[in-house]
Amino acid sequence: SYELTQPPSVSVSPGQTASITCSGDKLGIKYAFWYQQKPGQSPVLVIHQNSRRPSGIPERISGSNSGNTATLTISGTQAMDEADYYCQAWDSNIAVVFGGGTKLTVL
Amino acid sequence: QVQLVQSGAEVKKPGASVKVSCKASGYTFTAYYIHWVRQAPGQGLEWVGWINPNSGGTNYAQNLQGWVTVTRDTSISTVYMEVSRLRSDDTAVYYCARSPGISNYAMDVWGQGTTVTVSS
């Protein structure tokens, strides 16, 4: 079955740029999706189809996907961005796969 | 507004079954797939399965096939997930979420989550 790998944690200083990676075999030929989850809350979609932002998601959140790696980038990171982030892709076009999640800490 | 509202928390004994509901409102129920995703305490997201509310077709995670059943009642815009033969490691928050389709689509709206606790 298909697997997605994320770093368990990423730290960033306020105002700096945070990058969270998601690796999978030939991930670049699939769509990558990203969700943000704050403690005690349901996940929220922040990036779909590699780089598209849903309505209401700030422009400082962006995504890319190439080769074996998708990347979520948060520019000008703020305290409110501290959360767990999960990447997601589709396996064989019918099954959903999540990465293990990355805890973003804003120091 | 678009909403998915789930049923309340459940406490079950090992070996029992649990049925969680997810009621959709604010959109055409049959136009979006409904997924179930679970999250064990302190762990990541695990996809459980999806249902096409229009056709009733389903697909489940391989490790949960035979343990989970997802159904729908189109007359009340509600999807159900039943987990049978519960074990302690089924303790989790269970979320429903919708997507416009499969393969190229994300889950754009999520329910509030239902906590299922399995304990003797």
Side-chain angles (χ1 to χ4, degrees):
Chain A
S1 63
Y2 196 74
E3 293 185 359
L4 295 173
T5 301
Q6 298 181 236
S9 63
V10 168
S11 297
V12 64
S13 300
Q16 298 303 302
T17 297
S19 295
I20 299 173
T21 59
C22 174
S23 299
D25 185 46
K26 298 186 179 74
L27 179 56
I29 64 172
K30 303 175 183 287
Y31 278 131
F33 310 92
W34 291 92
Y35 302 88
Q36 176 194 71
Q37 186 182 34
K38 296 183 179 179
Q41 298 183 18
S42 302
V44 172
L45 177 67
V46 294
I47 292 288
H48 64 102
Q49 295 177 338
N50 296 333
S51 59
R52 302 180 70 172
R53 276 185 307 276
S55 174
I57 301 302
E59 290 185 9
R60 55 196 180 75
I61 295 179
S62 62
S64 62
N65 185 17
S66 178
N68 294 321
T69 304
T71 303
L72 178 73
T73 302
I74 306 175
S75 305
T77 306
Q78 301 178 9
M80 66 182 294
D81 298 322
E82 188 163 285
D84 294 328
Y85 291 85
Y86 295 90
C87 61
Q88 179 242 307
W90 286 84
D91 180 17
S92 303
N93 293 328
I94 60 170
V96 172
V97 179
F98 286 104
T102 299
K103 181 177 181 61
L104 177 66
T105 301
V106 182
L107 297 170
Chain B
Q1 73 280 25
V2 176
Q3 270 190 309
L4 297 174
V5 178
Q6 300 182 222
S7 50
E10 302 267 9
V11 180
K12 296 290 184 181
K13 293 192 183 302
S17 297
V18 68
K19 194 170 187 177
V20 179
S21 67
C22 172
K23 182 172 177 61
S25 62
Y27 71 95
T28 302
F29 176 65
T30 52
Y32 288 77
Y33 286 65
I34 294 291
H35 301 258
W36 288 93
V37 176
R38 71 180 184 178
Q39 186 171 37
Q43 302 300 308
L45 302 176
E46 178 186 18
W47 177 71
V48 173
W50 55 250
I51 186 167
N52 178 342
N54 189 40
S55 67
T58 56
N59 188 45
Y60 304 108
Q62 280 191 336
N63 63 320
L64 294 173
Q65 282 183 356
W67 298 80
V68 174
T69 305
V70 179
T71 56
R72 93 295 193 206
D73 184 337
T74 56
S75 68
I76 54 171
S77 301
T78 299
V79 170
Y80 303 93
M81 178 202 62
E82 184 170 20
V83 185
S84 60
R85 303 190 296 279
L86 286 164
R87 308 181 312 187
S88 58
D89 59 3
D90 291 316
T91 294
V93 177
Y94 288 76
Y95 296 100
C96 62
R98 73 168 197 174
S99 69
I102 60 173
S103 178
N104 293 328
Y105 299 99
M107 301 174 206
D108 64 348
V109 177
W110 292 65
Q112 84 275 21
T114 296
T115 300
V116 174
T117 303
V118 183
S119 174
S120 55

